[in-house]
Amino acid sequence: MLLPSTFPRFSSLLPLLCFVSILAGVNSDEPELQLLLNLKAALQTSNTTMFDSWNNSNSVCRFNGITCNSRGSVTEMDLSNHMLSGVLPFDSICQLQSLEKLSFGFNSLYGNISNDLSNCVKLKYLDLGNNIFSGTFPDISTLTQLKYLYLNQSGFSGTFPWKSLQNMANLEVLSVGDNPFDLTPFPTEVVKLKNLKWLYMSNCTLGGKIPTGIGNLTELINLEFSDNFISGEIPSEIGKLQNLWQLEMYNNSFTGKLPYGLRNLTKLEFFDASMNNLAGNLSELRFLSNLVSLQLFENEFSGEIPPEFGEFRKLVNLSLYRNSLTGPIPQKIGSWAEFDYIDVSENFLTGLIPPDMCKQGKMHALLVLQNKLTGEIPATYSNCLSLRRFRVSNNSLSGVIPPGIWGLPNAEIIDIELNRLGGSITSDIKNAKTLAQIFASQNLLSGEIPEEISKATSLVTVDLSENQISGKIPTSMGELKQLSSLSLQSNKLFGSIPDSLGSCVSLSDINLSQNSLSEKMPPSLGFLPVLNSLNLSRNELSGEIPASFSRLRLSLFDLSNNKLAGPIPLSLSFQAYNGSLEGNSDLCTMDVDITSLKRCSVRSGNSRHFRTLLVCFSIGLVLLLLYLSLYMQQKKKENYRERSLKEESWDIKSFHVLSFTEDEILDSIKEENLIGKGGSGNVYRVTLSNGKDLAVKHIWNTDSSGRKRSRSSAPMIGKRGVKSKEFDAEVQALSSIRHVNVVKLYCSITSKDSNLLVYEYFPNGSLWDMLHTNKKMELDWETRYEIAVGAAKGLEYLHHGCERPVIHRDVKSSNILLDEFLKPRIADFGLAKIVQANVGKDSTHLVAGTHGYIAPEYGYTYKVNEKIDVYSFGVVLMELVTGKRPIEPEFGEKEDIVNWVCSKVQQENREKIVAMVDSRIADVYREEAMKVMRIAIMCTARVPAVRPTMRSVVHMLEAAEPFKLVGIVVTKDDDSAKKMQVPEAAKLPLDLKN
Ligand SMILES: *[C@@H]1O[C@H](CO)[C@@H](O)[C@H](O)[C@H]1NC(C)=O
Ligand SMILES: *[C@@H]1O[C@H](CO)[C@@H](O)[C@H](O)[C@H]1NC(C)=O
């Protein structure tokens, strides 16, 4: 027996091995039997039949998964995908003398791989991929026969033993991606493996540059190194890999142009270099006529799309969005194969939409938004029955929109807004059974809204604003039970508002302003259960305000400039809606505190009393003068904007006993202390003289920063005074909040132009940092669970424990700070309200949640209730369970974690469902984590009313405490958890833009 001298450990096993081979001559089965029984004893599986054949009355060669050679020795062991868990006993396994193939892929095996693996010297095939091992992978220099090595997504960390590869001249498959290795430069050992056919090194923390030696690997068919930190240019040597069929390098930091030589990769079918910083034009790709899928989105490519692409006979996927491409889209593109999708959005493309991309009837998505395309929408797409997403918005398209587009039976979104398209919405829309969103504003659409729109029962958003649509609002629209947002403003609609709109129970936003609607407003609108905004201004509505409207609690309520008359219902707290009743000269009030409106005469609310009129007139005059003087003052203030912070006069409002002065804070608001930037302001870290740290949020006052007001907003009297009072009240309320899981707000320091909020400081960063950034630390399930419960309690307190509920509006893992014991604190609560109070109603969009965490209704409504926080918290729970970010490339086109989870759950494949759990969570806790996932799914239900309150979330979480579940009585909430396994969120693509 010839032994490599470099391997002393092996020789120490020599006596044992000799013993084994002597026995083998006598009874070849006995010792191998014992070794395999050892293996069986070390493993657990939920497949009850898997090990049935593994017993000592059977020959090992008849064991399930075992193959022997003619001499009865085990040569192959294939136990992949058998729900195995446990620690592999390589000391036993590698005593199998003739073992050439070892396959344990797709199981839940955990623990470290012992050095004994290096004794399996005859191995040609080793697959440990898709498991949850830990620790570093051991040196395997002795495995010189290896041809196939699969270690992808197996949980290995630290440094991979790249040097081991030096002796493996036969290696054909090397798959080590999806492991959290330490950052390492692209290993040069790899480019010496001349026989490699398949190289998978995506997502394993590689840095550095691609070595030019890559050109040696001329046998390569597949080369993948996406999701790493590789920079520099793509070496031109890559052009030598003429057998390549797939080249994946997305999400790195490549710069420069596509190298000369790429044109030689004529066998290439799949090429993805998206999400890099590549520039230059695409002309090297002209010759790659076998491309099936080309993905280059989010780069800096410029120039024209090569006309040759139009001749690519196999092309089915083309995604070039977010570049700077110019010129036309080749007109024959997609006309050859079963073309699936095009996304060339957000470029500077001109010319026409290619007409034949759906020629084979398979196209799913036509996305060309935000370009400079002209001409008409080709009529061919009227017949594209497979089309789900049709988005051509923000171009210069003209002509009549082909009627059939409205009736596409599988369309989910039709987005044509911001073009010059004419024509009308046709009765074809009755066939649009899956259509959820219509965005058609700012076009030249005319004609009437057809009655048949009621048959498009999946509609959630209808935006036809700023067109020339005339006629009446069809009564049948009352049948749209999913309709949440209806925007018909700035059209030519007339007639009455149908009473049936009150049957659209999901409506949360209605904007019918700037039409010629007349007659009385239907009382039914006052009974809409989730209405958040109602704008009926600038119409010709008459009659009294229905008493039912006083039930509404809206964030936007505007009935101004109509012909409304009579007394305002006493309980209608219209003062909250500044100016919302103006321009209705016949309205009167019976409320003595309201001086801006005429008083109703006691006898007849409608009578026009001359004296009242006179009084109103004088009051109006006084107010006008007051307004003018305030306006002048305001103007003056704006001229002083460029002063430094210190020169302003500051007003400190403290709500705790403070151990610092305002000067101490103001002195520290400078660049070098900046620790964060957000939509609403910057965050600074301030170290006080006593060594204590504080976090200070500097909120800009947009009103005085020259930001444009929305075009319809009339200047409001005394706005400044009212708003800053509101701000103070808001800060006061928030600073009275005391809870262990909520960050303390110490005080606010305000000046005319900006505001500072002073908070407790937490040096450990946020949950986001721990889970997703390189500051991350391993959080075991118990810690994650404690963080979930603590954060839930903080939110519960905000929602239910304060005088009035505080809606956070931006719940996300980066707003959950962790102290030194990893106890969570909710930060930035109520900020939306503060910012809003500070800058006025026009700026509600300033704090609008964070992509990936935003509840679906937030897109449709201004005002929202606590349930938006519950939704976002559900997303945080999903992050904790899966370890994934709310938006990950792997979720596919524009999907988020909620949709991803739901699609997994719908597969009803237990194994796949449990596989969602973060591989960093120990096996024993996976079931526990799934309990929390169930709660997360409830929290992210699409319909807000169906989501649990934070109070019941806390109860449910407490019931899901790891290993304490046995014997817990099933509560009501647990019960509903079972019923609601699949929330509707999964059924509806909720992206509003892109
Ligand atoms: C269990 O293992 C047996 C033997 O390999 C296999 O035929 C069967 O499909 C497995 N059952 C499941 C549920 O995976
Ligand atoms: C990247 O690798 C990690 C393990 O390190 C895995 O959990 C994650 O799913 C991988 N990401 C993708 C996009 O495959």
Side-chain angles (χ1 to χ4, degrees):
M1 197 178 284
L2 207 75
L3 291 174
S5 56
T6 52
F7 200 62
R9 289 212 56 186
F10 198 75
S11 54
S12 67
L13 284 165
L14 200 53
L16 179 59
L17 286 174
C18 293
F19 175 67
V20 170
S21 48
I22 291 162
L23 276 182
V26 183
N27 179 347
S28 64
D29 250 18
E30 276 297 329
E32 297 211 325
L33 175 70
Q34 192 51 49
L35 294 172
L36 291 186
L37 293 180
N38 290 351
L39 172 61
K40 176 183 170 184
L43 300 177
Q44 299 90 50
T45 173
S46 42
N47 180 341
T48 47
T49 59
M50 146 86 228
F51 279 127
D52 278 359
S53 53
W54 287 48
N55 57 62
N56 43 20
S57 57
N58 207 356
S59 149
V60 291
C61 299
R62 292 208 201 97
F63 282 17
N64 181 24
I66 299 294
T67 307
C68 294
N69 59 16
S70 55
R71 288 179 289 120
S73 306
V74 175
T75 55
E76 298 188 3
M77 189 188 299
D78 184 352
L79 300 182
S80 54
N81 208 353
H82 272 97
M83 306 183 203
L84 296 171
S85 66
V87 178
L88 286 178
F90 279 106
D91 50 348
S92 292
I93 296 169
C94 291
Q95 287 185 50
L96 297 165
Q97 288 292 285
S98 311
L99 196 60
E100 294 183 355
K101 174 174 177 176
L102 192 53
S103 182
F104 280 109
F106 293 97
N107 284 297
S108 299
L109 299 164
Y110 54 84
N112 289 352
I113 302 293
S114 80
N115 289 325
D116 298 302
L117 172 60
S118 56
N119 296 337
C120 282
V121 291
K122 290 208 174 138
L123 277 186
K124 292 183 176 148
Y125 186 111
L126 176 60
D127 181 2
L128 300 175
N130 298 91
N131 279 290
I132 50 173
F133 297 114
S134 48
T136 50
F137 188 74
D139 179 79
I140 50 166
S141 311
T142 47
L143 275 51
T144 55
Q145 308 296 313
L146 270 183
K147 254 174 128 169
Y148 306 91
L149 181 56
Y150 296 94
L151 301 173
N152 49 294
Q153 196 144 5
S154 304
F156 298 120
S157 55
T159 306
F160 185 80
W162 301 109
K163 291 225 153 44
S164 301
L165 303 174
Q166 277 171 346
N167 306 326
M168 298 180 190
N170 298 326
L171 208 57
E172 289 180 12
V173 173
L174 177 60
S175 181
V176 292
D178 298 325
N179 283 303
F181 297 137
D182 293 343
L183 184 64
T184 171
F186 196 101
T188 48
E189 289 83 356
V190 170
V191 299
K192 301 193 175 119
L193 302 167
K194 293 209 166 108
N195 287 312
L196 270 187
K197 291 192 164 70
W198 195 276
L199 180 55
Y200 179 69
M201 300 212 294
S202 294
N203 185 24
C204 60
T205 339
L206 297 179
K209 299 183 175 182
I210 301 290
T212 52
I214 194 88
N216 299 337
L217 306 184
T218 50
E219 299 292 312
L220 272 182
I221 292 167
N222 181 41
L223 175 55
E224 297 181 65
F225 43 84
S226 304
D227 288 316
N228 281 301
F229 304 90
I230 306 172
S231 56
E233 302 201 356
I234 303 170
S236 58
E237 284 77 4
I238 219 155
K240 295 183 183 162
L241 312 184
Q242 294 185 18
N243 286 309
L244 271 189
W245 154 84
Q246 171 162 275
L247 177 56
E248 303 275 309
M249 53 170 78
Y250 57 87
N251 198 15
N252 279 288
S253 302
F254 288 111
T255 51
K257 299 177 181 172
L258 294 175
Y260 181 81
L262 213 53
R263 61 179 64 195
N264 299 328
L265 306 186
T266 49
K267 291 186 185 164
L268 204 59
E269 295 191 9
F270 297 87
F271 181 38
D272 192 342
S274 307
M275 299 165 85
N276 282 291
N277 304 314
L278 295 165
N281 62 37
L282 306 181
S283 65
E284 269 306 295
L285 307 177
R286 276 174 298 162
F287 310 100
L288 308 190
S289 57
N290 281 311
L291 279 176
V292 171
S293 173
L294 177 61
Q295 314 261 340
L296 300 173
F297 60 86
E298 292 182 15
N299 277 291
E300 289 150 27
F301 289 117
S302 55
E304 302 202 354
I305 299 176
E308 288 84 350
F309 284 15
E311 303 297 325
F312 287 3
R313 306 282 156 128
K314 295 181 174 176
L315 193 67
V316 298
N317 293 335
L318 180 64
S319 193
L320 306 174
Y321 65 88
R322 291 217 183 118
N323 279 289
S324 301
L325 300 168
T326 52
I329 309 172
Q331 289 298 293
K332 278 159 81 184
I333 217 157
S335 58
W336 309 99
E338 294 189 340
F339 197 70
D340 182 18
Y341 71 82
I342 186 171
D343 190 347
V344 292
S345 306
E346 299 181 56
N347 281 291
F348 303 101
L349 299 168
T350 52
L352 310 173
I353 297 176
D356 293 326
M357 295 184 288
C358 196
K359 204 169 176 181
Q360 310 293 334
K362 294 288 195 267
M363 190 179 202
H364 284 129
L366 192 161
L367 307 167
V368 299
L369 47 149
Q370 221 171 310
N371 277 292
K372 298 175 169 181
L373 300 173
T374 51
E376 303 192 358
I377 295 174
T380 42
Y381 295 107
S382 281
N383 306 320
C384 188
L385 305 189
S386 53
L387 205 56
R388 291 200 207 125
R389 308 173 65 74
F390 182 76
R391 308 198 59 189
V392 301
S393 57
N394 211 342
N395 279 290
S396 301
L397 301 170
S398 55
V400 169
I401 173 164
I405 296 282
W406 299 111
L408 291 175
N410 289 302
E412 289 158 10
I413 177 169
I414 294 180
D415 175 12
I416 59 169
E417 69 183 23
L418 286 157
N419 279 294
R420 292 197 292 271
L421 292 162
S424 56
I425 300 173
T426 59
S427 59
D428 300 72
I429 199 165
K430 63 178 182 284
N431 298 320
K433 297 292 182 211
T434 56
L435 187 59
Q437 298 173 318
I438 299 178
F439 295 102
S441 84
Q442 301 191 52
N443 276 292
L444 303 170
L445 298 180
S446 56
E448 301 188 4
I449 302 172
E451 285 283 337
E452 289 83 352
I453 196 170
S454 61
K455 301 286 183 271
T457 49
S458 303
L459 278 173
V460 173
T461 306
V462 174
D463 184 356
L464 306 175
S465 59
E466 301 188 51
N467 278 291
Q468 320 273 338
I469 297 170
S470 57
K472 296 186 170 188
I473 299 173
T475 312
S476 63
M477 283 190 90
E479 289 161 39
L480 297 174
K481 303 297 179 206
Q482 316 263 5
L483 189 63
S484 167
S485 175
L486 179 62
S487 307
L488 303 177
Q489 69 269 28
S490 300
N491 275 293
K492 296 178 171 170
L493 298 165
F494 52 80
S496 59
I497 299 173
D499 190 46
S500 61
L501 271 196
S503 312
C504 299
V505 288
S506 304
L507 263 180
S508 69
D509 292 275
I510 302 178
N511 191 344
L512 308 178
S513 72
Q514 298 191 60
N515 279 290
S516 302
L517 298 166
S518 59
E519 301 176 39
K520 284 187 171 178
M521 298 183 289
S524 61
L525 298 185
F527 296 97
L528 282 169
V530 294
L531 195 64
N532 268 310
S533 75
L534 178 65
N535 189 348
L536 306 178
S537 65
R538 304 213 215 169
N539 276 292
E540 286 157 32
L541 298 164
S542 57
E544 296 187 2
I545 300 176
S548 61
F549 280 23
S550 37
R551 302 164 48 96
L552 296 169
R553 294 289 172 270
L554 304 179
S555 59
L556 186 147
F557 178 63
D558 195 349
L559 306 182
S560 64
N561 298 303
N562 275 291
K563 295 177 174 166
L564 302 173
I568 297 164
L570 251 185
S571 47
L572 184 65
S573 50
F574 84 96
Q575 289 181 92
Y577 314 112
N578 236 330
S580 58
L581 300 177
E582 277 167 15
N584 289 286
S585 52
D586 290 345
L587 278 180
C588 64
T589 178
M590 298 195 276
D591 185 339
V592 287
D593 293 337
I594 298 170
T595 50
S596 59
L597 278 170
K598 96 185 147 181
R599 295 282 305 282
C600 300
S601 97
V602 183
R603 260 158 270 148
S604 155
N606 280 330
S607 83
R608 295 176 180 213
H609 200 278
F610 177 67
R611 274 180 62 177
T612 324
L613 238 171
L614 196 66
V615 171
C616 281
F617 180 72
S618 357
I619 291 173
L621 198 66
V622 170
L623 287 176
L624 185 67
L625 289 173
L626 193 66
Y627 162 69
L628 279 176
S629 78
L630 283 172
Y631 184 73
M632 296 310 284
Q633 260 182 29
Q634 168 73 23
K635 265 272 175 275
K636 247 194 228 164
K637 276 183 207 163
E638 286 183 10
N639 292 338
Y640 285 126
R641 273 202 328 105
E642 307 296 339
R643 294 167 311 179
S644 81
L645 286 175
K646 270 304 281 270
E647 285 172 276
E648 298 183 36
S649 73
W650 292 86
D651 180 12
I652 186 161
K653 287 239 164 33
S654 60
F655 312 101
H656 293 252
V657 181
L658 302 181
S659 57
F660 52 86
T661 65
E662 71 192 83
D663 278 349
E664 220 173 341
I665 305 280
L666 292 175
D667 283 334
S668 309
I669 304 303
K670 46 191 167 193
E671 193 71 20
E672 70 242 38
N673 292 330
L674 188 68
I675 52 173
K677 284 184 181 207
S680 56
N682 289 345
V683 183
Y684 299 85
R685 174 186 182 160
V686 172
T687 306
L688 300 173
S689 46
N690 64 8
K692 200 172 148 63
D693 282 325
L694 297 170
V696 177
K697 187 152 211 154
H698 180 199
I699 300 180
W700 302 303
N701 192 331
T702 24
D703 244 16
S704 54
S705 69
R707 186 186 285 263
K708 262 203 326 227
R709 289 265 184 80
S710 89
R711 65 204 123 120
S712 62
S713 82
M716 270 182 250
I717 297 173
K719 178 171 173 160
R720 165 70 48 164
V722 173
K723 289 302 172 188
S724 73
K725 235 195 258 163
E726 225 172 274
F727 175 78
D728 287 347
E730 205 52 49
V731 173
Q732 170 101 55
L734 295 182
S735 58
S736 66
I737 287 170
R738 302 275 197 286
H739 190 273
V740 288
N741 295 117
V742 178
V743 172
K744 220 182 256 171
L745 173 61
Y746 283 118
C747 68
S748 77
I749 304 178
T750 52
S751 77
K752 290 184 207 91
D753 292 340
S754 54
N755 301 277
L756 303 175
L757 296 172
V758 183
Y759 293 96
E760 264 176 310
Y761 178 74
F762 293 95
N764 262 7
S766 67
L767 178 57
W768 171 276
D769 298 335
M770 296 291 176
L771 284 173
H772 308 306
T773 70
N774 45 14
K775 275 207 271 175
K776 79 182 161 197
M777 57 192 277
E778 290 298 327
L779 295 175
D780 58 24
W781 177 247
E782 285 156 295
T783 311
R784 293 186 202 210
Y785 169 79
E786 291 298 336
I787 291 172
V789 174
K793 285 182 174 168
L795 275 178
E796 179 198 20
Y797 177 81
L798 290 177
H799 288 180
H800 306 292
C802 307
E803 236 171 68
R804 61 189 171 80
V806 174
I807 306 179
H808 190 298
R809 286 174 192 245
D810 200 12
V811 174
K812 52 182 171 180
S813 56
S814 59
N815 270 338
I816 297 176
L817 306 183
L818 300 174
D819 69 14
E820 66 262 47
F821 308 109
L822 296 177
K823 295 266 173 297
R825 318 280 173 126
I826 306 282
D828 268 1
F829 49 90
L831 202 62
K833 203 84 186 289
I834 288 190
V835 174
Q836 194 180 332
N838 205 25
V839 301
K841 194 158 79 176
D842 321 337
S843 310
T844 27
H845 60 280
L846 267 183
V847 178
T850 302
H851 190 39
Y853 295 91
I854 307 173
E857 74 267 27
Y858 208 39
Y860 312 132
T861 68
Y862 287 46
K863 195 173 170 191
V864 284
N865 62 17
E866 300 91 78
K867 294 295 180 67
I868 64 153
D869 287 352
V870 178
Y871 182 97
S872 310
F873 183 71
V875 174
V876 172
L877 290 181
M878 289 180 177
E879 286 180 85
L880 279 166
V881 174
T882 64
K884 294 190 191 300
R885 290 170 292 189
I887 305 285
E888 292 269 15
E890 69 169 300
F891 301 156
E893 196 217 353
K894 287 130 198 176
E895 288 218 313
D896 54 24
I897 194 165
V898 174
N899 286 317
W900 180 75
V901 166
C902 292
S903 66
K904 296 265 174 186
V905 171
Q906 277 174 328
Q907 292 171 347
E908 288 174 26
N909 172 341
R910 239 200 102 58
E911 213 176 333
K912 283 210 180 114
I913 294 174
V914 179
M916 287 191 295
V917 177
D918 192 343
S919 58
R920 292 172 287 182
I921 293 175
D923 207 32
V924 286
Y925 283 119
R926 302 194 137 217
E927 284 299 331
E928 310 296 313
M930 281 314 292
K931 285 171 192 154
V932 171
M933 181 59 98
R934 229 167 275 142
I935 301 170
I937 290 171
M938 294 174 67
C939 289
T940 50
R942 194 178 65 82
V943 179
V946 181
R947 295 174 208 146
T949 62
M950 277 318 294
R951 183 151 285 165
S952 41
V953 170
V954 169
H955 288 161
M956 286 187 278
L957 279 174
E958 282 174 342
E961 186 173 356
F963 294 133
K964 292 209 179 149
L965 236 118
V966 208
I968 288 235
V969 187
V970 176
T971 68
K972 233 185 184 169
D973 288 317
D974 277 338
D975 211 61
S976 56
K978 267 173 221 130
K979 269 185 248 147
M980 294 202 19
Q981 294 229 332
V982 182
E984 286 171 58
K987 295 176 193 143
L988 186 69
L990 288 161
D991 58 317
L992 291 170
K993 296 285 143 198
N994 273 12

